[in-house]
Amino acid sequence: MTPPPARRRRTGAPERSYPRRGSVRRAQMITTYGVGSMVAVDNESFIVAGTDSWNISDAPTIHEHRLARVLGVKSFRLPPASDDTSKDGVHVRRFPLWHSCPACQTLQHVRQFNSPPGKNECGDCEEDLVPSRFVMACAKGHIDDFPYWRWAHRKNRQEGETGLCGGTMRLRTSGKTASLRSILISCTCGVPEVSMEGAFSGTALSDLKVFCSGKRPWLKDAPTDPCSERPRTLQRGSSVAWQPIVRTALSIPPWSDEHFTRLEEHMDDLRVMYEAGDEHGIRGFLKALTLRKPYEFSAERVMALLEAENQEDADGDASVDSAFVALRKQEYERLIAGQPEKGTGREDRFVCEPPRSSPIVLGPYGVTGPMLVKRLREVRALKAFSRVDTPDTRENVHEAALSLKELDWLPAMEVQGEGVFLRLDEGRLDDWARSVAVAARADRMRTNHERMMRERAQDADNVPDSPASPRMVLLHTLAHSLINEWSLDGGYPAASLRERLYASDTMAGILICTATSDSAGSLGGLVAQGEPDRLRKSLDSALDRARWCSADPLCVESEGSGVGGINMAACHACVLLPETSCEHSNGLLDRALLVGTPEDPSIGFFNDVLRS
C-alpha cells in the first residue's frame, strides 16, 4: 500500500524500519484491508481506493479457470506491492474527513484546520488531528461522515438545517465512563451540549431526517447514487463497516496439471484459435513453444481441455450460486478419485492419494475413504464487499463494486499447502439422521438461522433456505473438533488450518487444509495426521474432548447459543475456532450431534464408539 506523505516526527520518537508505516501484507488486501475498507495508520485514517486506480503492471497474474469462469473474469491479480521509492501500488484516500483536535477540541472538516503541507495537524495547536470515530453507512455500501452538526442541533432547529449556525463544533470526552455518554458534542452557537448516546439506534439518523448521501469515497470521481436505504451509525473500526465477499476454488485436474500450468499465459491465444477452428494453428503454436521451452506439449491434450472448457461454457448455469455448488461437486469427486504423486510433474498443483495403511481401523467410526492431499492450491478472490449486513445474509446483501470500470480481473491470493480429506458413510448417516431427536435439534438451529436472516435481510420474503441439516451440522462440528485436536497434538496454530465442507444430499466429506502460506503451510505434518492409525487416535481424543466442556452444563443444555442462537452445544471453550478457519463464521455447530447429551447419548453419531 502506498503510504501517505511523511509527517512531523516528534522529538525522541524512535525510528522504525519494519514494517514501514502504512504497509500491509498482500493477503490482507483480500481479507482485511480490501477495496472500500478503512485502515488506520498511526493517528490517521484512510479508505482503500478502487481497483481501477491500482497500478498492476508488475503485479503477478493468478490463473484459475474454474473460478474465473464463474466470476466472469479472465484472470486474477495479486495486489501490487510497492517499495519505499515507488509511487505505484494500492492507493488510499483520506476518510473520514471530519477530524478533531485533542488540544483545542475543535471538530470540523480536515481542510478547515489549516494544516501545514504534508502534515495532518491543527494549524493553531500543532497537535496531531484525530479522525472521527464514527461514520454512517447503509446496506448498499455507501459511506459518509457522521452528521455531527445535525446531531448536536437536533433539539434546537431554528437555525435551519444547513449547518450554517455560525458556531464552531467541539468534541470532548468527560472521562467518567467508557460509554458513548462520555463523548460530548457542543457548538459555540450556544446549543446545549449533547452526548453520542443513542447514535447507534437503528432509527437515530432517520429520526433526524438524515438520509443516505449515496457517496462512494473509495471510487475516485464516482457520482452519488440515489439511495433509499436507511443509514446507520457505525464505528470506523467496526467489523460490519466492511465485510469482504470472497470466493474460493481448489485447483484440480486437468487445469492443475503441469502440462497446462506451463501454458497458462498462452491459453487466451489458444482459445481464440480453437474458437476459429484453427487446429493446425494450435499445433504450430505448440510446436514453436516447445522449441523455446524444454517441455513437450501435447496438442491432443490441449484440444481435449479446450473442448471440455467449451462444453462447460455451453452447459453453464445462469445462477452463480448453482455454479459454485457445481465447483464444490467437481472438487469432491476429484478428492475421492485422487491423483497419485507418482507420475506427476514438479509443477503439478494437486496430489491426492490414499494412505499407505488400511483404513479398516476407521470402520467403527463411520469414516470412509480418507485421502492424503499432499499438494494443494486454493485461490481466494475478492469479488465485492458489503456494509452493515453480515455474511450470514450474504446471498441477499448488496455487493458494492470494487471499480467504476468493467475490469477483466479481480484481486486474489493463492495458498499452496496440504490437507486431509475424509468422508462419512452415507448409509449410516442417513439412518442416524432419521432419528426424531436428531432432526429436532437440526430443525431448531435451522429455524433460528432463518429467523436471523429474515431480521437482517433487506427483503424478508426473499431469504435463502438455511443449510442447517443433521448431515451438515455433524460434518461441520467434526471438522472443528479435528482442527482443535490437531492444533494441540500436531503443533499447528488453529488459525493456520481451515475447513472446506462438502455437505449436501450427494456429498458427505470434509477437507482440512493449511490456510496460510507461512512455514505451517506445507511441511507434511498435516498429511501425517491422515494416516489411519493416527487419524483413529485423533478421532478418539477429539470425541473425548467433545464430551466435556468447561462451560457445562450450560453449554450442553443450551437451546440456542452464538449470534442469533444458531448454535446448540457449542462455545469458545469447546468447538469454536478462529473465524478465518470456519466457512460459516462459527455458526451451525452442535457437539451433541457428535457425542450425544447426558440425557440422550443416542443422538450422537459416534455414540457407539464412545460406549465401546
Coordinates of all heavy atoms in Angstrom, one line a residue, residues 475-540:
L475 N -21.0 -32.8 10.0 CA -19.7 -32.6 9.3 C -19.0 -31.4 9.8 O -17.7 -31.3 10.0 CB -19.9 -32.6 7.8 CG -20.3 -33.9 7.2 CD1 -20.8 -33.7 5.8 CD2 -19.2 -34.9 7.2
H476 N -19.7 -30.3 10.0 CA -19.1 -29.0 10.4 C -18.5 -29.1 11.8 O -17.4 -28.7 12.0 CB -20.2 -27.9 10.4 CG -19.7 -26.5 10.5 ND1 -20.5 -25.5 10.9 CD2 -18.4 -26.0 10.4 CE1 -19.7 -24.4 10.9 NE2 -18.5 -24.7 10.6
T477 N -19.2 -29.7 12.7 CA -18.7 -29.8 14.1 C -17.6 -30.8 14.1 O -16.6 -30.6 14.9 CB -19.9 -30.3 15.0 OG1 -21.0 -29.5 14.8 CG2 -19.4 -30.1 16.5
L478 N -17.6 -31.9 13.4 CA -16.5 -32.8 13.3 C -15.2 -32.1 12.8 O -14.1 -32.3 13.3 CB -16.8 -34.0 12.4 CG -15.7 -35.0 12.2 CD1 -15.3 -35.6 13.5 CD2 -16.1 -36.1 11.2
A479 N -15.3 -31.3 11.8 CA -14.2 -30.5 11.3 C -13.6 -29.6 12.3 O -12.4 -29.6 12.5 CB -14.6 -29.7 10.0
H480 N -14.4 -28.9 13.1 CA -14.0 -28.1 14.2 C -13.2 -28.9 15.2 O -12.2 -28.4 15.7 CB -15.1 -27.3 14.8 CG -15.5 -26.1 14.0 ND1 -15.6 -24.8 14.6 CD2 -15.8 -25.9 12.7 CE1 -15.9 -23.9 13.7 NE2 -16.1 -24.5 12.5
S481 N -13.8 -30.0 15.6 CA -13.2 -30.8 16.6 C -11.8 -31.3 16.2 O -10.9 -31.4 17.0 CB -14.1 -32.0 17.0 OG -15.3 -31.5 17.5
L482 N -11.7 -31.7 14.9 CA -10.4 -32.2 14.4 C -9.4 -31.1 14.3 O -8.2 -31.3 14.6 CB -10.6 -32.9 13.1 CG -11.2 -34.3 13.1 CD1 -11.4 -34.8 11.7 CD2 -10.3 -35.3 13.8
I483 N -9.8 -29.9 13.9 CA -8.9 -28.8 13.9 C -8.4 -28.5 15.2 O -7.2 -28.2 15.4 CB -9.5 -27.6 13.2 CG1 -9.7 -27.8 11.7 CG2 -8.7 -26.3 13.4 CD1 -10.5 -26.7 11.0
N484 N -9.2 -28.4 16.2 CA -8.8 -28.2 17.6 C -7.9 -29.3 18.1 O -6.9 -29.0 18.7 CB -10.0 -28.1 18.5 CG -10.7 -26.7 18.5 OD1 -10.0 -25.7 18.4 ND2 -12.0 -26.7 18.7
E485 N -8.1 -30.5 17.7 CA -7.3 -31.6 18.2 C -5.9 -31.5 17.5 O -4.9 -31.7 18.2 CB -8.0 -32.9 17.8 CG -7.1 -34.2 18.1 CD -6.9 -34.3 19.6 OE1 -7.7 -33.8 20.4 OE2 -5.8 -34.9 20.0
W486 N -5.9 -31.3 16.2 CA -4.6 -31.2 15.5 C -3.8 -30.0 15.9 O -2.6 -30.0 15.8 CB -4.8 -31.3 14.0 CG -5.2 -32.6 13.6 CD1 -5.0 -33.8 14.3 CD2 -5.9 -33.0 12.4 NE1 -5.5 -34.9 13.6 CE2 -6.1 -34.4 12.4 CE3 -6.4 -32.3 11.3 CZ2 -6.7 -35.1 11.4 CZ3 -7.0 -33.0 10.3 CH2 -7.2 -34.4 10.3
S487 N -4.5 -28.9 16.3 CA -3.7 -27.7 16.8 C -3.0 -28.0 18.1 O -2.0 -27.5 18.4 CB -4.7 -26.5 17.0 OG -5.6 -26.7 18.0
L488 N -3.6 -29.0 18.9 CA -3.0 -29.3 20.2 C -2.0 -30.5 20.0 O -0.9 -30.4 20.6 CB -4.1 -29.8 21.2 CG -5.1 -28.7 21.6 CD1 -6.2 -29.4 22.4 CD2 -4.4 -27.6 22.4
D489 N -2.3 -31.4 19.2 CA -1.5 -32.6 19.0 C -0.4 -32.5 18.0 O 0.7 -33.0 18.1 CB -2.3 -33.8 18.7 CG -1.5 -35.1 18.6 OD1 -0.8 -35.5 19.6 OD2 -1.6 -35.7 17.5
G490 N -0.7 -31.8 16.9 CA 0.2 -31.7 15.7 C 1.0 -30.4 15.7 O 1.9 -30.3 14.9
G491 N 0.8 -29.5 16.7 CA 1.6 -28.3 16.8 C 1.2 -27.2 15.8 O 1.9 -26.2 15.7
Y492 N 0.0 -27.3 15.2 CA -0.5 -26.3 14.3 C -1.3 -25.2 15.1 O -2.1 -25.6 15.9 CB -1.4 -26.9 13.2 CG -0.7 -27.6 12.1 CD1 -0.4 -29.0 12.2 CD2 -0.3 -26.9 11.0 CE1 0.2 -29.6 11.2 CE2 0.4 -27.6 9.9 CZ 0.6 -28.9 10.0 OH 1.3 -29.6 9.0
P493 N -1.0 -23.9 14.8 CA -2.0 -22.9 15.4 C -3.3 -23.2 14.7 O -3.4 -23.5 13.5 CB -1.4 -21.6 14.9 CG 0.0 -21.9 14.5 CD 0.1 -23.3 14.1
A494 N -4.4 -23.1 15.5 CA -5.7 -23.3 14.9 C -6.0 -22.4 13.8 O -6.7 -22.7 12.8 CB -6.8 -23.1 16.0
A495 N -5.5 -21.2 13.8 CA -5.7 -20.2 12.7 C -5.0 -20.6 11.4 O -5.3 -20.0 10.4 CB -5.3 -18.8 13.2
S496 N -4.1 -21.5 11.5 CA -3.3 -21.9 10.3 C -4.0 -23.0 9.6 O -3.5 -23.5 8.5 CB -1.9 -22.3 10.6 OG -1.9 -23.5 11.3
L497 N -5.1 -23.6 10.1 CA -5.9 -24.6 9.5 C -7.2 -24.1 9.1 O -7.8 -23.2 9.7 CB -6.0 -25.8 10.4 CG -4.7 -26.5 10.9 CD1 -5.0 -27.6 11.9 CD2 -3.9 -27.0 9.7
R498 N -7.8 -24.7 8.1 CA -9.1 -24.2 7.5 C -9.9 -25.4 7.1 O -9.4 -26.4 6.5 CB -8.8 -23.3 6.3 CG -10.0 -22.6 5.7 CD -9.6 -21.7 4.6 NE -10.7 -21.1 3.9 CZ -11.3 -20.0 4.3 NH1 -10.9 -19.3 5.3 NH2 -12.4 -19.5 3.6
E499 N -11.2 -25.3 7.3 CA -12.1 -26.3 6.8 C -12.7 -26.0 5.5 O -12.8 -24.9 5.1 CB -13.3 -26.5 7.8 CG -14.2 -25.3 7.8 CD -15.4 -25.4 8.8 OE1 -15.4 -26.3 9.6 OE2 -16.3 -24.5 8.8
R500 N -13.0 -27.1 4.8 CA -13.8 -26.9 3.5 C -14.8 -28.1 3.5 O -14.5 -29.2 3.4 CB -12.8 -27.1 2.3 CG -13.4 -26.6 1.0 CD -12.3 -26.4 -0.1 NE -12.8 -25.9 -1.3 CZ -13.0 -24.6 -1.6 NH1 -12.7 -23.7 -0.7 NH2 -13.5 -24.2 -2.7
L501 N -16.1 -27.7 3.6 CA -17.1 -28.6 3.8 C -17.8 -29.1 2.4 O -18.0 -28.2 1.5 CB -18.2 -28.0 4.7 CG -17.8 -27.5 6.0 CD1 -19.0 -27.0 6.8 CD2 -17.2 -28.7 6.9
Y502 N -18.1 -30.3 2.4 CA -18.8 -30.9 1.2 C -20.0 -31.6 1.8 O -20.0 -32.8 2.1 CB -17.9 -31.9 0.4 CG -16.6 -31.2 -0.1 CD1 -15.5 -31.1 0.7 CD2 -16.6 -30.6 -1.3 CE1 -14.3 -30.5 0.2 CE2 -15.5 -29.9 -1.8 CZ -14.4 -29.9 -1.1 OH -13.2 -29.3 -1.5
A503 N -21.1 -30.8 2.0 CA -22.3 -31.4 2.7 C -23.5 -31.1 1.8 O -23.9 -29.9 1.7 CB -22.4 -30.7 4.1
S504 N -24.1 -32.1 1.3 CA -25.3 -32.0 0.6 C -26.0 -33.4 0.5 O -25.5 -34.3 1.1 CB -25.1 -31.4 -0.9 OG -24.4 -32.4 -1.7
D505 N -27.0 -33.5 -0.3 CA -27.7 -34.8 -0.4 C -26.8 -35.9 -1.0 O -26.9 -37.1 -0.8 CB -29.0 -34.7 -1.2 CG -30.0 -33.9 -0.4 OD1 -29.9 -33.8 0.8 OD2 -30.9 -33.4 -1.1
T506 N -25.8 -35.4 -1.8 CA -24.9 -36.3 -2.6 C -23.5 -36.2 -2.1 O -22.6 -36.9 -2.6 CB -25.0 -36.0 -4.1 OG1 -24.6 -34.6 -4.3 CG2 -26.4 -36.2 -4.6
M507 N -23.2 -35.4 -1.1 CA -21.8 -35.2 -0.6 C -21.8 -35.3 0.9 O -22.7 -34.8 1.6 CB -21.2 -33.9 -1.0 CG -21.1 -33.7 -2.5 SD -20.1 -32.2 -3.0 CE -21.3 -30.9 -2.5
A508 N -20.7 -35.9 1.5 CA -20.6 -36.0 2.9 C -19.1 -36.1 3.3 O -18.6 -37.2 3.7 CB -21.3 -37.3 3.5
G509 N -18.4 -35.0 3.0 CA -17.0 -35.1 3.3 C -16.5 -33.7 3.9 O -17.2 -32.7 3.8
I510 N -15.3 -33.8 4.4 CA -14.6 -32.6 4.9 C -13.2 -32.6 4.5 O -12.5 -33.7 4.4 CB -14.7 -32.4 6.4 CG1 -14.1 -33.6 7.1 CG2 -16.1 -32.2 6.9 CD1 -14.1 -33.5 8.7
L511 N -12.7 -31.4 4.1 CA -11.3 -31.3 3.8 C -10.7 -30.3 4.8 O -11.2 -29.1 5.0 CB -11.1 -30.7 2.4 CG -9.6 -30.3 2.0 CD1 -8.7 -31.5 2.0 CD2 -9.6 -29.6 0.7
I512 N -9.7 -30.7 5.6 CA -9.0 -29.8 6.5 C -7.6 -29.5 5.9 O -6.8 -30.5 5.7 CB -8.9 -30.4 7.9 CG1 -10.3 -30.7 8.5 CG2 -8.1 -29.5 8.8 CD1 -10.3 -31.4 9.8
C513 N -7.4 -28.3 5.6 CA -6.1 -27.9 4.9 C -5.4 -26.8 5.5 O -6.0 -26.1 6.4 CB -6.4 -27.6 3.4 SG -7.6 -26.3 3.2
T514 N -4.2 -26.6 5.2 CA -3.5 -25.4 5.7 C -4.1 -24.1 5.1 O -4.3 -24.1 3.9 CB -2.0 -25.5 5.4 OG1 -1.8 -25.8 4.0 CG2 -1.3 -26.6 6.2
A515 N -4.2 -23.1 5.9 CA -4.9 -21.9 5.4 C -3.9 -20.7 5.2 O -4.3 -19.7 4.9 CB -5.9 -21.5 6.5
T516 N -2.7 -20.9 5.5 CA -1.7 -19.8 5.4 C -0.5 -20.3 4.5 O -0.3 -21.5 4.3 CB -1.2 -19.4 6.8 OG1 -0.5 -20.5 7.4 CG2 -2.3 -19.0 7.7
S517 N 0.2 -19.3 4.0 CA 1.3 -19.6 3.2 C 2.7 -19.5 3.9 O 3.7 -19.4 3.3 CB 1.4 -18.7 2.0 OG 1.4 -17.3 2.4
D518 N 2.6 -19.5 5.3 CA 3.8 -19.4 6.0 C 4.4 -20.8 6.3 O 4.1 -21.7 5.6 CB 3.6 -18.7 7.4 CG 2.5 -19.4 8.2 OD1 2.2 -20.5 7.9 OD2 2.1 -18.8 9.2
S519 N 5.3 -20.9 7.3 CA 6.0 -22.1 7.5 C 5.1 -23.3 7.9 O 5.5 -24.4 7.9 CB 7.1 -21.9 8.5 OG 6.5 -21.5 9.8
A520 N 3.9 -23.0 8.4 CA 3.0 -24.0 8.7 C 2.2 -24.6 7.5 O 1.3 -25.4 7.7 CB 2.0 -23.5 9.8
G521 N 2.6 -24.1 6.3 CA 1.8 -24.5 5.2 C 2.0 -25.8 4.6 O 1.1 -26.5 4.2
S522 N 3.2 -26.2 4.4 CA 3.5 -27.4 3.6 C 4.7 -28.2 4.1 O 5.6 -28.6 3.3 CB 3.7 -27.0 2.1 OG 4.8 -26.1 2.0
L523 N 4.7 -28.5 5.4 CA 5.8 -29.2 5.9 C 5.5 -30.7 6.1 O 6.3 -31.5 6.5 CB 6.2 -28.6 7.3 CG 6.6 -27.2 7.3 CD1 6.9 -26.7 8.7 CD2 7.9 -27.0 6.4
G524 N 4.3 -31.1 5.7 CA 4.0 -32.5 5.7 C 3.4 -33.0 7.0 O 2.9 -34.1 7.1
G525 N 3.3 -32.1 8.0 CA 2.8 -32.5 9.3 C 1.3 -32.8 9.3 O 0.8 -33.7 10.0
L526 N 0.6 -32.0 8.5 CA -0.9 -32.2 8.4 C -1.2 -33.5 7.7 O -2.1 -34.3 8.1 CB -1.6 -31.0 7.8 CG -3.1 -31.1 7.7 CD1 -3.7 -31.2 9.1 CD2 -3.6 -29.9 7.0
V527 N -0.5 -33.8 6.6 CA -0.7 -35.0 5.9 C -0.5 -36.3 6.8 O -1.2 -37.3 6.7 CB 0.2 -35.1 4.6 CG1 0.2 -36.5 4.0 CG2 -0.3 -34.1 3.6
A528 N 0.5 -36.2 7.6 CA 0.8 -37.3 8.5 C -0.4 -37.6 9.4 O -0.6 -38.8 9.9 CB 2.1 -37.0 9.3
Q529 N -1.2 -36.6 9.7 CA -2.3 -36.8 10.6 C -3.4 -37.7 9.9 O -4.3 -38.2 10.6 CB -2.9 -35.5 11.1 CG -2.0 -34.6 11.8 CD -1.6 -35.1 13.1 OE1 -2.3 -35.8 13.8 NE2 -0.4 -34.7 13.5
G530 N -3.4 -37.8 8.6 CA -4.4 -38.6 7.9 C -4.1 -40.0 7.8 O -5.0 -40.8 7.3
E531 N -3.0 -40.5 8.3 CA -2.7 -42.0 8.3 C -3.7 -42.6 9.2 O -4.0 -42.1 10.3 CB -1.3 -42.3 8.7 CG -0.2 -41.9 7.7 CD -0.3 -42.8 6.4 OE1 -0.9 -43.9 6.5 OE2 0.2 -42.4 5.4
P532 N -4.4 -43.8 8.8 CA -5.5 -44.3 9.6 C -5.2 -44.5 11.1 O -6.1 -44.2 11.9 CB -5.7 -45.7 8.8 CG -5.3 -45.4 7.4 CD -4.2 -44.5 7.5
D533 N -4.1 -45.1 11.4 CA -3.8 -45.3 12.9 C -3.8 -44.0 13.6 O -4.3 -43.8 14.7 CB -2.5 -46.1 13.0 CG -2.6 -47.5 12.6 OD1 -3.8 -48.0 12.6 OD2 -1.6 -48.1 12.2
R534 N -3.1 -43.0 13.0 CA -3.0 -41.7 13.7 C -4.4 -41.0 13.7 O -4.7 -40.3 14.7 CB -2.0 -40.8 13.0 CG -1.6 -39.5 13.8 CD -0.6 -38.7 13.0 NE 0.7 -39.4 13.0 CZ 1.6 -39.1 13.9 NH1 1.3 -38.3 14.9 NH2 2.8 -39.8 13.9
L535 N -5.1 -41.1 12.6 CA -6.4 -40.5 12.5 C -7.4 -41.1 13.5 O -8.2 -40.4 14.1 CB -7.0 -40.6 11.1 CG -8.3 -40.0 10.8 CD1 -8.3 -38.5 11.1 CD2 -8.7 -40.2 9.3
R536 N -7.3 -42.4 13.7 CA -8.1 -43.0 14.7 C -7.9 -42.5 16.1 O -8.8 -42.2 16.9 CB -7.9 -44.6 14.7 CG -8.8 -45.3 15.8 CD -8.5 -46.8 15.7 NE -7.0 -47.0 16.0 CZ -6.5 -47.1 17.2 NH1 -7.3 -46.8 18.3 NH2 -5.2 -47.3 17.4
K537 N -6.6 -42.3 16.4 CA -6.3 -41.7 17.7 C -6.7 -40.3 17.8 O -7.2 -39.9 18.9 CB -4.8 -41.8 18.0 CG -4.2 -43.2 18.1 CD -2.7 -43.2 18.2 CE -2.1 -44.6 18.3 NZ -0.6 -44.6 18.4
S538 N -6.6 -39.6 16.8 CA -7.1 -38.2 16.8 C -8.6 -38.1 17.0 O -9.1 -37.3 17.7 CB -6.8 -37.5 15.5 OG -5.4 -37.3 15.3
L539 N -9.4 -39.0 16.3 CA -10.8 -39.1 16.5 C -11.2 -39.4 17.9 O -12.1 -38.8 18.5 CB -11.4 -40.1 15.5 CG -11.5 -39.7 14.1 CD1 -11.8 -40.9 13.2 CD2 -12.5 -38.6 13.9
D540 N -10.5 -40.4 18.5 CA -10.7 -40.8 19.9 C -10.6 -39.6 20.8 O -11.4 -39.3 21.7 CB -9.8 -41.9 20.3 CG -10.3 -43.3 19.8 OD1 -11.5 -43.4 19.5 OD2 -9.4 -44.2 19.7

